Amino acid sequence: MGQNPFSAGEHTQPMSEINTTPLVDVMLVLLVIFIITAPLLTHAVKIDLPQATSQPLEEKPEVIDLAVDVDGKIFWNDSEIQVAELATRMSEAAAQQQQPELQIRADKNTRYQVLAEVLAKAQTAGMKKVGFVSQPQP
């Protein structure tokens, strides 16, 4: 008689083999997809571009170094100026074609009032690039 694995009287071992047919089918489908799409990704239009030689302009913007010491004295590029002269110089700098960058260095014990006045004058003059310079801790 033929063997019937579903009969109630017999105890058979579970099937321990992995069916690789679906895995091979999926891999072949992926291979076909990659074979079809690979030439599409490398397609490029070949054109003859004109050649030009030029040097890029490397204009570094002017930097104004504004220092304020502990006594409230103001230094414009390392030369001392009066507070009244500060507004005039900032207006002239803001009116330039390429506006310079204002870098403010202040002593850590400088009164906040002095820095607030300097910032107010820079805003009134129209200075757009204002920054504070600090020294990193060792």
Side-chain angles (χ1 to χ4, degrees), residues 66-94:
L66 188 73
V68 182
D69 69 357
V70 71
D71 298 326
K73 295 179 184 174
I74 299 173
F75 296 89
W76 183 280
N77 290 335
D78 297 328
S79 61
E80 186 176 356
I81 62 169
Q82 300 300 320
V83 178
E85 189 181 353
L86 182 63
T88 308
R89 286 202 180 185
M90 284 188 180
S91 296
E92 290 172 357

Side-chain angles (χ1 to χ4, degrees), residues 62 64 76 86-102 121-130:
E62 181 185 351
I64 299 170
W76 183 280
L86 182 63
T88 308
R89 286 202 180 185
M90 284 188 180
S91 296
E92 290 172 357
Q96 291 180 4
Q97 177 76 17
Q98 187 175 8
Q99 194 177 84
E101 182 178 333
L102 180 65
K121 289 182 188 299
Q123 182 181 17
T124 304
M127 297 291 292
K128 302 257 189 261
K129 301 175 185 175
V130 179

Side-chain angles (χ1 to χ4, degrees), residues 31-74:
L31 181 65
V32 168
I33 289 173
F34 285 128
I35 289 173
I36 292 172
T37 58
L40 298 176
L41 297 176
T42 59
H43 180 70
V45 176
K46 296 187 190 279
I47 56 173
D48 188 18
L49 295 175
Q51 299 294 324
T53 58
S54 65
Q55 297 296 327
L57 291 175
E58 293 186 21
E59 288 186 29
K60 294 183 180 177
E62 181 185 351
V63 175
I64 299 170
D65 183 30
L66 188 73
V68 182
D69 69 357
V70 71
D71 298 326
K73 295 179 184 174
I74 299 173

Side-chain angles (χ1 to χ4, degrees), residues 95-135:
Q96 291 180 4
Q97 177 76 17
Q98 187 175 8
Q99 194 177 84
E101 182 178 333
L102 180 65
Q103 294 182 352
I104 300 174
R105 292 182 299 126
D107 190 89
K108 65 180 178 179
N109 296 321
T110 302
R111 290 184 41 226
Y112 179 74
Q113 178 66 32
V114 176
L115 288 174
E117 289 175 6
V118 168
L119 288 174
K121 289 182 188 299
Q123 182 181 17
T124 304
M127 297 291 292
K128 302 257 189 261
K129 301 175 185 175
V130 179
F132 286 95
V133 178
S134 63
Q135 185 176 13

